[in-house]
Structures are given as C-alpha cells and as structure tokens.
Amino acid sequence: MKHEAFERIVVALDVPTESEALELVRLLKPSSGYFKVGLELLNSVGIGIVNRIVDLGGKVFLDGKFMDIPNTVEGACRAATRSGARIINVHTMGGCEMMKAAANAVADEAVKLRVPKPLVLGVTILTSINREIMNQNLRVAGTVEDQVVHLARLAEKAGLDGVIASPQEIEVIRRSTGDSFLIVTPGVRPVWSSANDQKRIMTPGEAIAKGASLIVVGRPITKPPKEIGGPVDAARRVVEEIELALKQDQTIEPR
Ligand code: C5P
C-alpha cells in the first residue's frame, strides 16, 4: 500500500450528526486519506452515511468492530462491502474461523460488485484493556504485548490485511508479521494537542517512523486548539509532520 503523506491520515468522525460529519469531510477531503465512521456515528445516523461520504469523494473506514459467529460476521462483512467502505474491521478475538469468513466474504462480495476489495483489519486488544484486566477479568494469561502479537499473527494467517493496535505495539508487530501487513494506530497526538482521554500516546511522526501504515487522528484535527486554527490547519500540520518523519528516515517504506 503506497501512500502520500496525507493519505496516511484517517480522520475519526466522532460526531453524532450527519451534518457535522459531512462538513468535516468537505473541509478535510484534500488533506486526509480516510474518514473513520465509528459506532457513535453509525448508530446515530445509519449505514447510509458511508455512501454520502463517498459521494463527497471521501474514502471510508467503517469501524464496526464485528465479532459474532462466522456466518453472521460473513453477512455483516458482505453488507459492509456493499456500503462502499474501503476499510472494515473485525475483532481478532472472534477467532481464526471467523476472521477467515470475514476475509473470504469481503473478497467474494467485491468481485461480485466489481469494486476494489476493501481492506479487512483486526482489532487486537483494546487499548482500554491493561494486563491486570486481561489476566484477572478476562482470564487471559501473559503480557498484553505477547497476546497482541499472537492475535496479529493469527489475523495474518486468517487472511486479514492488517491490524489496529496501539502505537506502543507497532515495532513488535512489524517484527512478527510480513512487510505488507498493515498496522493502523490510534492514540496519536501531535505535541501541540491535548492528550484528552488517550494515555499511551505517540506523535504522528513517531508512529510513522516506528512503522505505522495509517494513523487514526480524531480530536486533534476535528477540534484543534484555538492557536492552531481550524481542522484544515491542524491536518496540514499533521501532514507536515508525517512528511518530515519520512524524509528523516529514508528507510521507512510507505506501506
Ligand atoms: O479523538 P481521538 O484521536 O482520541 O480518536 C481516536 C479514535 O480511534 C476514536 O474513534 C477511538 O474510538 C478510536 N480508537 C482508539 N483506541 C483504540 C481503538 C479505536 O482510540 N484502541
């Protein structure tokens, strides 16, 4: 996946109304690669939002985080492919069979529709889950890092295109999976922005330098600090930071 710097930004449209979402798309289309429709927007306005963003020329990452029995996830993935989304995701904890069903359904539906196959990503361990919760609450033993690597390899084996992971896990996943395996990371904060509720953060430049394929950025771009200006100014700064990171380290291959 070769990308220009601006194309590596996924703007999280975490707003409750269609008009707010579409206004952000109009403003930010020239300076970002994808728009992420998450559970809030999806459940507020419905799946038709994907088409309306596509009509404005935006590419959509439908962050539906599917997890169910393989047959149900297969149906959801077919519907997500028909929605016009270019990236969709499932939970890796749904297991290998479920992930295979997702990958096959998306590939098959895309052929039927004669559209480019959407990328299918796996959510590993949510960044809101730490080792204590994982070990004691979920009764999954070991470190979060080991579990994330295990799930990323499972996702790769099942035929997914990549995973979503915290910036802290980029390097270890990169070492454990193939070169074309995508790593998409939220928890990204430019130095000029507020951390908000994100805890384990990295700047856009750092995340790209460590090997992130795409970075998910929400509030720093959609609600930037006053001194930065509006969303377009904020996005431009993030693009510049990515360009700088790529220039400083010529060994980083855009993925
Ligand atoms: O505003 P902010 O940049 O924090 O938005 C990050 C986006 O990435 C949100 O849509 C959030 O739901 C999503 N995300 C995350 N951490 C994860 C998975 C998804 O922040 N582990």
Side-chain angles (χ1 to χ4, degrees):
M1 193 196 235
K2 301 273 178 196
H3 276 117
E4 297 287 327
F6 78 92
E7 291 177 302
R8 296 174 75 158
I9 302 175
V10 179
V11 176
L13 297 175
D14 291 324
V15 291
T17 66
E18 183 174 315
S19 59
E20 285 167 276
L22 296 183
E23 181 54 22
L24 283 168
V25 175
R26 277 187 205 100
L27 280 174
L28 294 169
K29 199 182 73 76
S31 45
S32 48
Y34 295 87
F35 294 95
K36 185 170 83 65
V37 173
L39 293 174
E40 179 185 3
L41 185 58
L42 188 63
N43 287 292
S44 300
V45 305
I47 191 76
I49 186 71
V50 175
N51 234 320
R52 289 189 276 282
I53 294 172
V54 172
D55 283 347
L56 292 177
K59 288 190 283 185
V60 176
F61 170 5
L62 182 61
D63 185 12
K65 294 192 178 71
F66 302 143
M67 180 155 118
D68 209 314
I69 58 171
N71 184 62
T72 302
V73 166
E74 175 183 336
C77 285
R78 286 188 188 279
T81 304
R82 288 194 295 272
S83 78
R86 299 290 291 269
I87 305 180
I88 70 165
N89 61 1
V90 299
H91 272 283
T92 56
M93 293 287 273
C96 200
E97 202 193 327
M98 189 206 79
M99 288 191 277
K100 274 186 190 163
N104 291 339
V106 167
D108 185 64
E109 197 67 24
V111 169
K112 276 189 195 152
L113 297 169
R114 296 169 191 242
V115 295
K117 186 193 85 64
L119 299 168
V120 187
L121 304 179
V123 179
T124 53
I125 297 287
L126 294 170
T127 44
S128 50
I129 292 180
N130 60 20
R131 184 173 184 173
E132 194 189 345
I133 300 173
M134 195 180 87
N135 294 165
Q136 289 170 21
N137 202 315
L138 303 178
R139 290 216 183 163
V140 175
T143 65
V144 171
E145 190 176 281
D146 283 350
Q147 182 67 4
V148 166
V149 168
H150 165 68
L151 292 170
R153 294 173 81 156
L154 196 68
E156 189 177 35
K157 203 172 119 198
L160 298 202
D161 299 291
V163 285
I164 308 184
S166 100
Q168 268 76 15
E169 291 142 12
I170 297 170
E171 285 168 304
V172 68
I173 297 172
R174 235 336 127 232
R175 282 199 299 271
S176 322
T177 56
D179 282 352
S180 60
F181 197 65
L182 303 173
I183 303 173
V184 177
T185 181
V188 174
R189 286 291 178 271
V191 285
W192 43 262
S193 67
S194 146
N196 307 111
D197 49 355
Q198 296 282 12
K199 294 198 171 62
R200 299 185 297 143
I201 54 178
M202 238 178 234
T203 67
E206 285 167 345
I208 293 292
K210 287 201 183 295
S213 316
L214 302 173
I215 56 170
V216 178
V217 190
R219 289 160 290 179
I221 288 179
T222 57
K223 297 184 184 81
K226 265 201 198 83
E227 64 276 15
I228 295 300
V232 175
D233 307 293
R236 199 170 296 134
R237 281 182 181 242
V238 176
V239 172
E240 283 167 9
E241 212 182 297
I242 295 172
E243 280 169 349
L244 195 66
L246 292 172
K247 225 179 270 164
Q248 277 172 353
D249 186 347
Q250 299 290 342
T251 63
I252 310 170
E253 267 294 301
R255 289 184 177 87

